Structures are given as C-alpha cells and as structure tokens.
C-alpha cells in the first residue's frame, strides 16, 4: 500500500512491491514514490538515503531554533530560581505580599518554559491561609 501520504514534502512509499496488485495505487497518488519490498530488498537503500537526507535537513533547519529556545529556557529557569530564593529569604521576615510577588514571578518564568502559566491556581493554593491584597 501507499506509505507516508501525499502531503507537501511527503515521501510516498509503495510497500510490498513484490506482490501482484489489484489496484493501481500510483493512480490514486500520482506523486513519485519509492517502491520497496522487505522480502526482496528492493528500494530499501533508496528509502534509507531519502530518510537520512530528510533527517539531516530537519536537524539543520531546527538547530538554530533549538539553541535559541535552550538559551531562553535557561534564562527563565535562572530567573525563577532567583525569585524563589528571594521568596525563601522573605519567609523568615514575613511580608506575605512580597513572597507572593516573588512566587508569581517564578511561576511566570517556569510557565514560559513549559508553555502554560497557572499562577492564580497555584497562588490560591499556596497562600489560601493568608489574606493577601484583600
């Protein structure tokens, strides 16, 4: 049958090319494809080469984005750590509003890393026993 589909950039793989077909799949997906047979080994090397080239292209395109994301994540985690350190120091001296502000900053930075920020939910649970800003 047809493999990867016929979307943009897709590689069509015609599997089991050693077996007789009742349907001409090439008419359904007219895109050029690679005919393979795991039994006879037909097309396997070509498929490996195409997969290797595509993986290398993908890595090249994504390398810059991954590095930039790693730098942003590292900076956000550093800032979150600093905020939590300040919050920890404030626990001894009181100042619930300042502690809440530092925890909020830490949660915002962590939210940037994970892609979601739940500061209100977390702060409601953490500071439920305090009457902050009311």
């Amino acid at each position: 049958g047809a493999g990867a589909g016929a979307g943009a950039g897709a590689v069509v793989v015609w599997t089991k090319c050693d077996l007789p077909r009742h349907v001409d799949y090439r008419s359904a997906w007219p895109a050029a494809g690679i005919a393979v047979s795991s039994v006879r080994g037909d097309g396997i090397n070509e498929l490996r080469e195409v997969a290797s080239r595509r993986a290398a292209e993908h890595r090249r395109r994504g390398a810059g984005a991954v590095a930039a994301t790693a730098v942003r994540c590292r900076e956000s985690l550093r800032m979150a750590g600093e905020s939590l350190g300040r919050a920890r120091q404030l626990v001894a001296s009181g100042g619930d509003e300042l502690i809440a502000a530092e925890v909020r900053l830490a949660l915002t930075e962590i939210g940037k890393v994970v892609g979601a920020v739940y500061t209100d939910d977390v702060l409601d649970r953490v500071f439920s026993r305090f009457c902050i800003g009311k």
Side-chain angles (χ1 to χ4, degrees):
V11 176
V12 177
V13 179
W14 305 102
T15 60
K16 301 180 183 180
C17 70
D18 55 298
L19 298 177
R21 300 199 182 272
H22 298 289
V23 176
D24 180 13
Y25 292 106
R26 290 185 191 270
S27 64
W29 276 291
I34 302 170
V36 298
S37 167
S38 60
V39 173
R40 295 190 316 217
D42 299 349
I44 299 297
N45 287 335
E46 183 184 358
L47 181 58
R48 281 188 182 127
E49 289 172 14
V50 169
S52 179
R53 270 196 319 269
R54 292 288 178 98
E57 290 168 7
H58 182 69
R59 280 192 300 271
R60 278 193 301 275
R61 281 192 308 267
V66 170
T69 299
V71 169
R72 282 193 304 274
C73 288
R74 188 176 319 126
E75 181 64 12
S76 287
L77 292 174
R78 183 191 63 74
M79 291 170 65
E82 289 176 1
S83 290
L84 290 174
R86 288 188 298 269
R88 186 174 178 197
Q89 290 173 348
L90 289 166
V91 168
S93 63
D96 296 336
E97 292 87 0
L98 296 175
I99 294 169
E102 293 295 346
V103 171
R104 182 177 298 279
L105 286 172
L107 288 170
T108 298
E109 293 302 324
I110 292 169
K112 290 177 185 177
V113 174
V114 300
V117 179
Y118 300 102
T119 54
D120 291 332
D121 293 341
V122 174
L123 286 174
D124 284 346
R125 278 185 257 144
V126 170
F127 294 103
S128 62
R129 66 176 193 223
F130 302 114
C131 184
I132 300 172
K134 294 181 181 180

